[in-house]
Amino acid sequence: MTALLGGCGLSGDSADVTLKLVAADYGDSESNSSRIYWQKLVRAYEAEHPGVRIEVSVHSWNDVDRKVRELVDAGQAPDMAQIGAYSDYAAKDLLYRADDVLSIPVQADFVSQLAGAGQVRGVQYGMPFAASTRVLFYNKTHFEKAGITPPKSWDDLARAAEALKAEGVTYPYALPLGPEEAQAETMQWMLSGKGGYTDLNGTYALASPENVSTFTWLKEELVGKGLTGPVAPGKLNRADAFAAFADGQVGMLNGHPSLMKAAARKKVEFGMVPTPGIEGESRSTLGVSDWMTAFKQNGHQEEIGDFLDYVYSSENVLAFSREYDLLPVTGSASEIMSEAEEDKELRPFLDELLLSELYPVGKSSWAAVSAEVKKRIGRAVAPGGDPVEVLAGVQTTAARAESGH
């Protein structure tokens, strides 16, 4: 899916400039494709900036990262790319720093957790574009029938899952550790068990005692007791788990904002609470951000910066966030959303953003580690699986990727 959106330079006496942007599609149909969002934004920008033309090509999330890599490898880097990762391009010195292109007020407006995650060795290259967090969704109808209340701790969650299973719920707790997005569910559980992908020094610590304990608990207390449904967690993808929740087959799962509309469309009565942790509500939750990058190959530093300042205006950030049930990446837009009645359903996620931790995306090794987690982590909770062995194996991959071997 490609949209070429026309116009014409930054000021009347500058040469005509065409900026090329490759962007991801957040829509789930032609009627709400991101192409429509960009078309409207570009049309408004170009009306105010004769002499600058913006060409936007929009691709599905299945294709967009590969498309940008192909362009870069062919020596045809776009001026900007709105994609899932940035650190490998930063490591090759292909990107402008954020402060090379953004005005000081715009860069200072980013939510601090997101700005920090956009840094490589203390320098910001990744500009957050869209964010989300996770909370525990639960089916109110199933919970009322089972006579239970939303869980606050792992023990609560296990007891609730037992009660839901007794009531015949297909997936008492849906645990999607399949290859689509296993790295998300994995990190959510690691954080709730006081672990994570890295330690406080930023060094990979996948096989830490905390992470081993977390996956041992999952294997023994949920999966081993038949509380995660008919599909093995290692084969259950996030999209399928969400679809099952929207069909009323799931008692509980970790979800992000897009699940709200899907469940509401199917008339599922649901509630949302903070993620349960090992000793009560988890102290931190998973935050996810997608990234805007600015490539140096074509020059156009001034024009890119002017356009991105416009993209990150509160009005445009809010419009995008509201259209796709995502969280604003700027403090000014977040403040507006936290007070606006129309955004009240997003407030639980907005509150969690301030407690969130993001993937270690500043490491150029993260792509390899994420791929290994997707491939292997389901085995840690499978019958006969060994959490120690699986996590140690992923840790070995992480150490190799960090050293460049």
Side-chain angles (χ1 to χ4, degrees):
M1 176 188 303
T2 303
L4 294 181
L5 316 173
C8 290
L10 200 60
S11 62
D13 58 1
S14 69
D16 285 1
V17 170
T18 296
L19 299 179
K20 294 186 177 181
L21 165 64
V22 179
D25 196 350
Y26 290 80
D28 55 15
S29 67
E30 182 65 27
S31 63
N32 73 340
S33 167
S34 297
R35 178 174 52 83
I36 298 169
Y37 171 81
W38 286 112
Q39 209 162 24
K40 183 178 178 183
L41 183 147
V42 165
R43 194 178 294 126
Y45 179 81
E46 289 177 342
E48 297 176 14
H49 300 81
V52 174
R53 174 184 171 86
I54 312 291
E55 290 184 359
V56 184
S57 57
V58 176
H59 302 270
S60 77
W61 271 111
N62 293 330
D63 301 325
V64 68
D65 288 290
R66 175 182 54 78
K67 179 65 176 176
V68 172
R69 188 166 303 283
E70 289 172 353
L71 289 169
V72 172
D73 289 347
Q76 299 171 353
D79 296 283
M80 295 162 285
Q82 185 266 300
I83 46 180
Y86 66 86
S87 57
D88 48 346
Y89 298 123
K92 296 173 183 172
D93 196 29
L94 299 177
L95 302 179
Y96 285 118
R97 298 160 50 126
D99 58 12
D100 287 335
V101 289
L102 296 177
S103 67
I104 291 172
V106 169
Q107 189 179 3
D109 197 23
F110 286 132
V111 173
S112 59
Q113 281 93 334
L114 305 179
Q119 295 179 358
V120 176
R121 293 185 292 278
V123 177
Q124 185 178 355
Y125 293 93
M127 294 166 272
F129 184 76
S132 69
T133 54
R134 301 292 195 273
V135 298
L136 186 79
F137 281 71
Y138 65 96
N139 183 305
K140 286 186 173 181
T141 305
H142 292 326
F143 267 62
E144 287 170 10
K145 192 175 176 187
I148 52 178
T149 56
K152 292 184 177 180
S153 68
W154 287 2
D155 287 344
D156 293 344
L157 188 146
R159 282 192 293 268
E162 291 274 14
L164 292 163
K165 182 182 180 183
E167 289 293 334
V169 175
T170 307
Y171 294 87
Y173 178 84
L175 183 66
L177 295 177
E180 178 200 1
E181 204 185 40
Q183 82 283 2
E185 187 77 7
T186 295
M187 183 165 172
Q188 187 80 4
W189 276 98
M190 285 178 171
L191 290 173
S192 71
K194 299 184 179 179
Y197 284 121
T198 59
D199 61 21
L200 293 176
N201 298 317
T203 303
Y204 284 116
L206 285 113
S208 69
E210 293 84 1
N211 292 340
V212 169
S213 293
T214 293
F215 276 86
T216 301
W217 187 89
L218 283 171
K219 181 176 187 290
E220 295 176 354
E221 301 300 324
L222 289 186
V223 183
K225 293 182 178 179
L227 301 178
T228 53
V231 179
K235 295 185 177 176
L236 181 64
N237 281 329
R238 191 264 309 161
D240 296 329
F242 278 22
F245 186 87
D247 285 337
Q249 299 176 38
V250 175
M252 304 172 277
L253 52 55
N254 287 323
H256 56 61
S258 71
L259 184 54
M260 294 189 297
K261 276 185 182 172
R265 272 197 300 264
K266 296 285 191 78
K267 305 290 194 292
V268 170
E269 291 284 327
F270 65 88
M272 300 179 294
V273 293
T275 303
I278 190 169
E279 296 168 344
E281 289 180 7
S282 181
R283 292 181 302 177
S284 59
T285 188
L286 169 64
V288 177
S289 180
D290 303 321
W291 305 97
M292 180 69 76
T293 55
F295 285 86
K296 297 195 287 188
Q297 180 180 319
N298 306 317
H300 301 157
Q301 178 180 349
E302 185 183 354
E303 291 86 359
I304 290 170
D306 191 77
F307 177 65
L308 289 179
D309 276 359
Y310 184 81
V311 167
Y312 283 109
S313 70
S314 291
E315 177 186 355
N316 287 326
V317 170
L318 276 172
F320 184 86
S321 302
R322 286 168 170 163
E323 176 64 31
Y324 299 107
D325 285 331
L326 291 162
L327 302 181
V329 295
T330 63
S332 57
S334 297
E335 191 173 337
I336 294 169
M337 183 174 275
S338 69
E339 297 172 357
E341 182 64 22
E342 68 180 285
D343 300 313
K344 63 181 179 182
E345 288 187 333
L346 283 169
R347 279 181 206 149
F349 300 94
L350 208 55
D351 293 342
E352 291 296 303
L353 187 60
L354 299 176
L355 303 171
S356 68
E357 289 189 31
L358 281 77
Y359 301 128
V361 287
K363 292 176 173 287
S364 57
S365 57
W366 169 241
V369 174
S370 176
E372 192 73 359
V373 169
K374 291 178 183 181
K375 186 168 77 175
R376 300 182 62 163
I377 199 67
R379 301 175 200 168
V381 298
D386 182 352
V388 173
E389 181 183 331
V390 171
L391 290 167
V394 181
Q395 176 67 27
T396 298
T397 296
R400 281 203 200 107
E402 277 284 85
S403 64
H405 294 122

